[in-house]
Amino acid sequence: MSPILHFLALPLVWIAPFLVVMMTIVVVHEFGHFFAARCFGVAIDRFSIGFGRALVSWRDKSGVEWRIGWAPFGGYVQFSGDENVASVPDQNDLEALRADIVSREGPGAADKYLVFKPLWQRAVVAAAGPFANFVLSSVIFALLVLTVGEPSARIDGISPGSPAAAAGLKAGDIIESVAGHGITSFSDLEQIVTVRANVPLTMTIKRGAAELTLTATPAAATVKDILGRDEVVGQLGVINMPSRAAGGWRRVNPLEAAGLGVARTVQMADTTFYYLGRAIRGQMSFDQLGGPLRTAQLSHAIATAGVQSGDTLSERALGLGFNLVNMIAMISVGVGIFNLLPIPVLDGGHLAFYAYEAVARRPLNAAVQAVSYRVGLALLLGLMLFATTNDLRHSSVFHFLGGLFS
């Protein structure tokens, strides 16, 4: 491809997949807040997709402004009365705010503002965003299993000299559980083993009519991820080559698919927390943590892999759609977990303040809240800087841009 065509294709192959992935996740997250607030009769001023000046905006019958901002990197719900991120004042400020609202809008008007809603309702509104992310992941995983099926957890081969061979695993074994986690597909096994290098794992397997308990310790192995980066992961040395004709793939009914979707989301969240715990203790590298740049790289790589997975146009479109939807589900779990961290400015920070209010029977002092939000914002910016630096250290984007006009 000529340099000019390569440059013109840049937005399509890099930016478009990234926006599809991130905007889907963000819109669902914000709609979770919006939906919960509407259920409780909270007054809402605006629902914005993107930031900055509005490209398109309109108002619905309830007076909510819906807008699409020119910077399509996120979104927000603005509740009536919100003036800044530290929108929950202390007790004295609450009384002054109520008096001001009553003087402007009449008796009872304050009851529709979020800050005057019962504590449990405010907590539900805060938690609804991350919850929506988990629901999105569960629904996508369920639909994928329902339409495509999934590979069974049967072992088709054992690598000689591998941890699996040392543990006594054999071809034909069906893995039922690992480290206390139920296994329904080979992908479940991979997810658990990958973050548990050098950790002994108790495994329950089915061998013929017998059920056995074995212990295997995944070896640490350096592999290339989809971006071509070196990554240290745990490996057992088991081989899975599922064949639909031989029954290696299983189909499920809608009810089973729904359960598997939820189970896969919970498993992914558990794996994330386990990885973070090991990384904090110095047992794993933080290299797997990434920011927007890595998300863009992954979106591009996964979209490209999907397009290249078929021969016809319809097969390529199906591969692209499957890969992007699966990526949306996986990243949505991470976004939900991240927003539940007890950092002020995040949903978890609001929940922490509400927990204090529940115990102390009054909101946290406004001055303390203001300082907490500044500290939280600094911490959040620090995390973003670390993730971006991590991305840049391993980025292939600059190699791509450097060779663009070579």
Side-chain angles (χ1 to χ4, degrees), residues 13-35:
V13 300
W14 283 92
I15 300 176
F18 171 73
L19 290 182
V20 168
V21 170
M22 291 310 300
M23 293 310 297
T24 300
I25 294 170
V26 169
V27 169
V28 168
H29 177 96
E30 295 302 331
F31 187 78
H33 292 307
F34 178 86
F35 180 77

PDB file of all heavy atoms in Angstrom, residues 13-35:
ATOM      1  N   VAL A  13      -8.491   1.932  10.581  1.00  0.00           N
ATOM      2  CA  VAL A  13      -7.918   0.726  11.181  1.00  0.00           C
ATOM      3  C   VAL A  13      -7.477   0.920  12.624  1.00  0.00           C
ATOM      4  O   VAL A  13      -7.286  -0.055  13.350  1.00  0.00           O
ATOM      5  CB  VAL A  13      -6.731   0.199  10.341  1.00  0.00           C
ATOM      6  CG1 VAL A  13      -7.171  -0.153   8.946  1.00  0.00           C
ATOM      7  CG2 VAL A  13      -5.590   1.218  10.297  1.00  0.00           C
ATOM      8  N   TRP A  14      -7.300   2.159  13.069  1.00  0.00           N
ATOM      9  CA  TRP A  14      -6.871   2.403  14.440  1.00  0.00           C
ATOM     10  C   TRP A  14      -7.955   3.083  15.269  1.00  0.00           C
ATOM     11  O   TRP A  14      -8.324   2.595  16.341  1.00  0.00           O
ATOM     12  CB  TRP A  14      -5.601   3.273  14.461  1.00  0.00           C
ATOM     13  CG  TRP A  14      -4.359   2.514  14.132  1.00  0.00           C
ATOM     14  CD1 TRP A  14      -3.787   2.343  12.907  1.00  0.00           C
ATOM     15  CD2 TRP A  14      -3.532   1.795  15.054  1.00  0.00           C
ATOM     16  NE1 TRP A  14      -2.667   1.564  13.004  1.00  0.00           N
ATOM     17  CE2 TRP A  14      -2.474   1.220  14.306  1.00  0.00           C
ATOM     18  CE3 TRP A  14      -3.581   1.585  16.426  1.00  0.00           C
ATOM     19  CZ2 TRP A  14      -1.490   0.448  14.902  1.00  0.00           C
ATOM     20  CZ3 TRP A  14      -2.581   0.820  17.022  1.00  0.00           C
ATOM     21  CH2 TRP A  14      -1.553   0.252  16.260  1.00  0.00           C
ATOM     22  N   ILE A  15      -8.471   4.202  14.800  1.00  0.00           N
ATOM     23  CA  ILE A  15      -9.377   5.013  15.616  1.00  0.00           C
ATOM     24  C   ILE A  15     -10.769   4.414  15.687  1.00  0.00           C
ATOM     25  O   ILE A  15     -11.372   4.343  16.765  1.00  0.00           O
ATOM     26  CB  ILE A  15      -9.440   6.457  15.072  1.00  0.00           C
ATOM     27  CG1 ILE A  15      -8.044   7.080  15.107  1.00  0.00           C
ATOM     28  CG2 ILE A  15     -10.420   7.294  15.881  1.00  0.00           C
ATOM     29  CD1 ILE A  15      -7.968   8.472  14.504  1.00  0.00           C
ATOM     30  N   ALA A  16     -11.298   3.967  14.542  1.00  0.00           N
ATOM     31  CA  ALA A  16     -12.675   3.459  14.521  1.00  0.00           C
ATOM     32  C   ALA A  16     -12.901   2.292  15.479  1.00  0.00           C
ATOM     33  O   ALA A  16     -13.845   2.315  16.283  1.00  0.00           O
ATOM     34  CB  ALA A  16     -13.074   3.086  13.092  1.00  0.00           C
ATOM     35  N   PRO A  17     -12.056   1.231  15.462  1.00  0.00           N
ATOM     36  CA  PRO A  17     -12.279   0.130  16.416  1.00  0.00           C
ATOM     37  C   PRO A  17     -12.189   0.587  17.869  1.00  0.00           C
ATOM     38  O   PRO A  17     -12.971   0.138  18.709  1.00  0.00           O
ATOM     39  CB  PRO A  17     -11.157  -0.863  16.075  1.00  0.00           C
ATOM     40  CG  PRO A  17     -10.793  -0.559  14.662  1.00  0.00           C
ATOM     41  CD  PRO A  17     -10.953   0.922  14.522  1.00  0.00           C
ATOM     42  N   PHE A  18     -11.248   1.492  18.159  1.00  0.00           N
ATOM     43  CA  PHE A  18     -11.084   1.996  19.516  1.00  0.00           C
ATOM     44  C   PHE A  18     -12.343   2.722  19.981  1.00  0.00           C
ATOM     45  O   PHE A  18     -12.829   2.518  21.099  1.00  0.00           O
ATOM     46  CB  PHE A  18      -9.874   2.939  19.572  1.00  0.00           C
ATOM     47  CG  PHE A  18      -9.744   3.687  20.869  1.00  0.00           C
ATOM     48  CD1 PHE A  18      -9.334   3.045  22.016  1.00  0.00           C
ATOM     49  CD2 PHE A  18     -10.032   5.042  20.933  1.00  0.00           C
ATOM     50  CE1 PHE A  18      -9.220   3.742  23.217  1.00  0.00           C
ATOM     51  CE2 PHE A  18      -9.917   5.744  22.116  1.00  0.00           C
ATOM     52  CZ  PHE A  18      -9.506   5.093  23.265  1.00  0.00           C
ATOM     53  N   LEU A  19     -12.898   3.578  19.108  1.00  0.00           N
ATOM     54  CA  LEU A  19     -14.095   4.324  19.474  1.00  0.00           C
ATOM     55  C   LEU A  19     -15.291   3.399  19.660  1.00  0.00           C
ATOM     56  O   LEU A  19     -16.105   3.601  20.576  1.00  0.00           O
ATOM     57  CB  LEU A  19     -14.406   5.383  18.413  1.00  0.00           C
ATOM     58  CG  LEU A  19     -13.434   6.563  18.336  1.00  0.00           C
ATOM     59  CD1 LEU A  19     -13.888   7.560  17.283  1.00  0.00           C
ATOM     60  CD2 LEU A  19     -13.321   7.256  19.694  1.00  0.00           C
ATOM     61  N   VAL A  20     -15.420   2.393  18.799  1.00  0.00           N
ATOM     62  CA  VAL A  20     -16.527   1.447  18.937  1.00  0.00           C
ATOM     63  C   VAL A  20     -16.467   0.757  20.293  1.00  0.00           C
ATOM     64  O   VAL A  20     -17.477   0.646  21.007  1.00  0.00           O
ATOM     65  CB  VAL A  20     -16.501   0.401  17.803  1.00  0.00           C
ATOM     66  CG1 VAL A  20     -17.471  -0.743  18.102  1.00  0.00           C
ATOM     67  CG2 VAL A  20     -16.862   1.052  16.474  1.00  0.00           C
ATOM     68  N   VAL A  21     -15.273   0.316  20.670  1.00  0.00           N
ATOM     69  CA  VAL A  21     -15.103  -0.398  21.936  1.00  0.00           C
ATOM     70  C   VAL A  21     -15.356   0.523  23.124  1.00  0.00           C
ATOM     71  O   VAL A  21     -16.193   0.235  23.997  1.00  0.00           O
ATOM     72  CB  VAL A  21     -13.685  -1.013  22.026  1.00  0.00           C
ATOM     73  CG1 VAL A  21     -13.419  -1.549  23.433  1.00  0.00           C
ATOM     74  CG2 VAL A  21     -13.531  -2.126  21.003  1.00  0.00           C
ATOM     75  N   MET A  22     -14.651   1.648  23.179  1.00  0.00           N
ATOM     76  CA  MET A  22     -14.709   2.500  24.366  1.00  0.00           C
ATOM     77  C   MET A  22     -16.041   3.216  24.508  1.00  0.00           C
ATOM     78  O   MET A  22     -16.581   3.333  25.608  1.00  0.00           O
ATOM     79  CB  MET A  22     -13.561   3.507  24.337  1.00  0.00           C
ATOM     80  CG  MET A  22     -12.198   2.878  24.528  1.00  0.00           C
ATOM     81  SD  MET A  22     -12.094   1.746  25.967  1.00  0.00           S
ATOM     82  CE  MET A  22     -12.518   2.846  27.320  1.00  0.00           C
ATOM     83  N   MET A  23     -16.591   3.717  23.410  1.00  0.00           N
ATOM     84  CA  MET A  23     -17.841   4.450  23.520  1.00  0.00           C
ATOM     85  C   MET A  23     -18.995   3.534  23.905  1.00  0.00           C
ATOM     86  O   MET A  23     -19.900   3.940  24.641  1.00  0.00           O
ATOM     87  CB  MET A  23     -18.144   5.198  22.230  1.00  0.00           C
ATOM     88  CG  MET A  23     -17.162   6.328  21.922  1.00  0.00           C
ATOM     89  SD  MET A  23     -16.896   7.457  23.329  1.00  0.00           S
ATOM     90  CE  MET A  23     -18.541   8.140  23.544  1.00  0.00           C
ATOM     91  N   THR A  24     -18.976   2.307  23.434  1.00  0.00           N
ATOM     92  CA  THR A  24     -20.014   1.359  23.851  1.00  0.00           C
ATOM     93  C   THR A  24     -19.958   1.152  25.355  1.00  0.00           C
ATOM     94  O   THR A  24     -20.996   1.189  26.048  1.00  0.00           O
ATOM     95  CB  THR A  24     -19.833   0.006  23.135  1.00  0.00           C
ATOM     96  OG1 THR A  24     -19.928   0.196  21.728  1.00  0.00           O
ATOM     97  CG2 THR A  24     -20.888  -0.990  23.595  1.00  0.00           C
ATOM     98  N   ILE A  25     -18.761   0.941  25.877  1.00  0.00           N
ATOM     99  CA  ILE A  25     -18.586   0.698  27.309  1.00  0.00           C
ATOM    100  C   ILE A  25     -18.981   1.924  28.127  1.00  0.00           C
ATOM    101  O   ILE A  25     -19.684   1.827  29.143  1.00  0.00           O
ATOM    102  CB  ILE A  25     -17.133   0.291  27.606  1.00  0.00           C
ATOM    103  CG1 ILE A  25     -16.828  -1.061  26.961  1.00  0.00           C
ATOM    104  CG2 ILE A  25     -16.873   0.239  29.109  1.00  0.00           C
ATOM    105  CD1 ILE A  25     -15.371  -1.442  26.985  1.00  0.00           C
ATOM    106  N   VAL A  26     -18.540   3.105  27.701  1.00  0.00           N
ATOM    107  CA  VAL A  26     -18.815   4.337  28.440  1.00  0.00           C
ATOM    108  C   VAL A  26     -20.306   4.661  28.426  1.00  0.00           C
ATOM    109  O   VAL A  26     -20.891   5.024  29.458  1.00  0.00           O
ATOM    110  CB  VAL A  26     -18.001   5.510  27.860  1.00  0.00           C
ATOM    111  CG1 VAL A  26     -18.485   6.836  28.442  1.00  0.00           C
ATOM    112  CG2 VAL A  26     -16.521   5.318  28.158  1.00  0.00           C
ATOM    113  N   VAL A  27     -20.943   4.555  27.262  1.00  0.00           N
ATOM    114  CA  VAL A  27     -22.367   4.869  27.165  1.00  0.00           C
ATOM    115  C   VAL A  27     -23.184   3.938  28.061  1.00  0.00           C
ATOM    116  O   VAL A  27     -24.102   4.381  28.767  1.00  0.00           O
ATOM    117  CB  VAL A  27     -22.849   4.784  25.698  1.00  0.00           C
ATOM    118  CG1 VAL A  27     -24.367   4.831  25.628  1.00  0.00           C
ATOM    119  CG2 VAL A  27     -22.258   5.927  24.887  1.00  0.00           C
ATOM    120  N   VAL A  28     -22.872   2.652  28.053  1.00  0.00           N
ATOM    121  CA  VAL A  28     -23.588   1.709  28.911  1.00  0.00           C
ATOM    122  C   VAL A  28     -23.359   2.052  30.381  1.00  0.00           C
ATOM    123  O   VAL A  28     -24.296   2.021  31.198  1.00  0.00           O
ATOM    124  CB  VAL A  28     -23.145   0.262  28.610  1.00  0.00           C
ATOM    125  CG1 VAL A  28     -23.663  -0.704  29.678  1.00  0.00           C
ATOM    126  CG2 VAL A  28     -23.642  -0.161  27.239  1.00  0.00           C
ATOM    127  N   HIS A  29     -22.123   2.401  30.746  1.00  0.00           N
ATOM    128  CA  HIS A  29     -21.812   2.776  32.130  1.00  0.00           C
ATOM    129  C   HIS A  29     -22.640   3.980  32.572  1.00  0.00           C
ATOM    130  O   HIS A  29     -23.282   3.951  33.629  1.00  0.00           O
ATOM    131  CB  HIS A  29     -20.315   3.094  32.250  1.00  0.00           C
ATOM    132  CG  HIS A  29     -19.907   3.546  33.616  1.00  0.00           C
ATOM    133  ND1 HIS A  29     -19.377   2.690  34.554  1.00  0.00           N
ATOM    134  CD2 HIS A  29     -19.942   4.772  34.220  1.00  0.00           C
ATOM    135  CE1 HIS A  29     -19.115   3.356  35.672  1.00  0.00           C
ATOM    136  NE2 HIS A  29     -19.453   4.627  35.482  1.00  0.00           N
ATOM    137  N   GLU A  30     -22.632   5.023  31.763  1.00  0.00           N
ATOM    138  CA  GLU A  30     -23.370   6.240  32.126  1.00  0.00           C
ATOM    139  C   GLU A  30     -24.876   6.008  32.099  1.00  0.00           C
ATOM    140  O   GLU A  30     -25.611   6.585  32.902  1.00  0.00           O
ATOM    141  CB  GLU A  30     -22.990   7.386  31.186  1.00  0.00           C
ATOM    142  CG  GLU A  30     -21.538   7.822  31.286  1.00  0.00           C
ATOM    143  CD  GLU A  30     -21.140   8.262  32.696  1.00  0.00           C
ATOM    144  OE1 GLU A  30     -22.029   8.757  33.438  1.00  0.00           O
ATOM    145  OE2 GLU A  30     -19.969   8.095  33.053  1.00  0.00           O
ATOM    146  N   PHE A  31     -25.343   5.156  31.186  1.00  0.00           N
ATOM    147  CA  PHE A  31     -26.769   4.871  31.158  1.00  0.00           C
ATOM    148  C   PHE A  31     -27.194   4.123  32.416  1.00  0.00           C
ATOM    149  O   PHE A  31     -28.345   4.257  32.860  1.00  0.00           O
ATOM    150  CB  PHE A  31     -27.137   4.052  29.917  1.00  0.00           C
ATOM    151  CG  PHE A  31     -28.621   3.881  29.751  1.00  0.00           C
ATOM    152  CD1 PHE A  31     -29.389   4.914  29.241  1.00  0.00           C
ATOM    153  CD2 PHE A  31     -29.256   2.697  30.127  1.00  0.00           C
ATOM    154  CE1 PHE A  31     -30.764   4.772  29.099  1.00  0.00           C
ATOM    155  CE2 PHE A  31     -30.621   2.548  29.992  1.00  0.00           C
ATOM    156  CZ  PHE A  31     -31.383   3.591  29.467  1.00  0.00           C
ATOM    157  N   GLY A  32     -26.286   3.353  33.009  1.00  0.00           N
ATOM    158  CA  GLY A  32     -26.594   2.702  34.283  1.00  0.00           C
ATOM    159  C   GLY A  32     -26.915   3.734  35.345  1.00  0.00           C
ATOM    160  O   GLY A  32     -27.912   3.616  36.074  1.00  0.00           O
ATOM    161  N   HIS A  33     -26.070   4.775  35.458  1.00  0.00           N
ATOM    162  CA  HIS A  33     -26.348   5.867  36.402  1.00  0.00           C
ATOM    163  C   HIS A  33     -27.676   6.537  36.059  1.00  0.00           C
ATOM    164  O   HIS A  33     -28.501   6.814  36.931  1.00  0.00           O
ATOM    165  CB  HIS A  33     -25.233   6.910  36.336  1.00  0.00           C
ATOM    166  CG  HIS A  33     -23.908   6.436  36.848  1.00  0.00           C
ATOM    167  ND1 HIS A  33     -23.738   5.868  38.101  1.00  0.00           N
ATOM    168  CD2 HIS A  33     -22.670   6.465  36.285  1.00  0.00           C
ATOM    169  CE1 HIS A  33     -22.462   5.563  38.276  1.00  0.00           C
ATOM    170  NE2 HIS A  33     -21.802   5.907  37.190  1.00  0.00           N
ATOM    171  N   PHE A  34     -27.865   6.817  34.773  1.00  0.00           N
ATOM    172  CA  PHE A  34     -29.047   7.532  34.310  1.00  0.00           C
ATOM    173  C   PHE A  34     -30.323   6.742  34.636  1.00  0.00           C
ATOM    174  O   PHE A  34     -31.296   7.293  35.165  1.00  0.00           O
ATOM    175  CB  PHE A  34     -28.941   7.768  32.802  1.00  0.00           C
ATOM    176  CG  PHE A  34     -30.130   8.453  32.190  1.00  0.00           C
ATOM    177  CD1 PHE A  34     -30.220   9.833  32.177  1.00  0.00           C
ATOM    178  CD2 PHE A  34     -31.159   7.701  31.620  1.00  0.00           C
ATOM    179  CE1 PHE A  34     -31.320  10.465  31.617  1.00  0.00           C
ATOM    180  CE2 PHE A  34     -32.253   8.324  31.051  1.00  0.00           C
ATOM    181  CZ  PHE A  34     -32.338   9.710  31.052  1.00  0.00           C
ATOM    182  N   PHE A  35     -30.315   5.458  34.314  1.00  0.00           N
ATOM    183  CA  PHE A  35     -31.504   4.629  34.513  1.00  0.00           C
ATOM    184  C   PHE A  35     -31.870   4.553  35.996  1.00  0.00           C
ATOM    185  O   PHE A  35     -33.051   4.677  36.369  1.00  0.00           O
ATOM    186  CB  PHE A  35     -31.268   3.238  33.947  1.00  0.00           C
ATOM    187  CG  PHE A  35     -32.437   2.310  34.100  1.00  0.00           C
ATOM    188  CD1 PHE A  35     -33.539   2.417  33.263  1.00  0.00           C
ATOM    189  CD2 PHE A  35     -32.435   1.331  35.088  1.00  0.00           C
ATOM    190  CE1 PHE A  35     -34.624   1.568  33.407  1.00  0.00           C
ATOM    191  CE2 PHE A  35     -33.518   0.487  35.234  1.00  0.00           C
ATOM    192  CZ  PHE A  35     -34.616   0.600  34.404  1.00  0.00           C
TER     193      PHE A  35
END
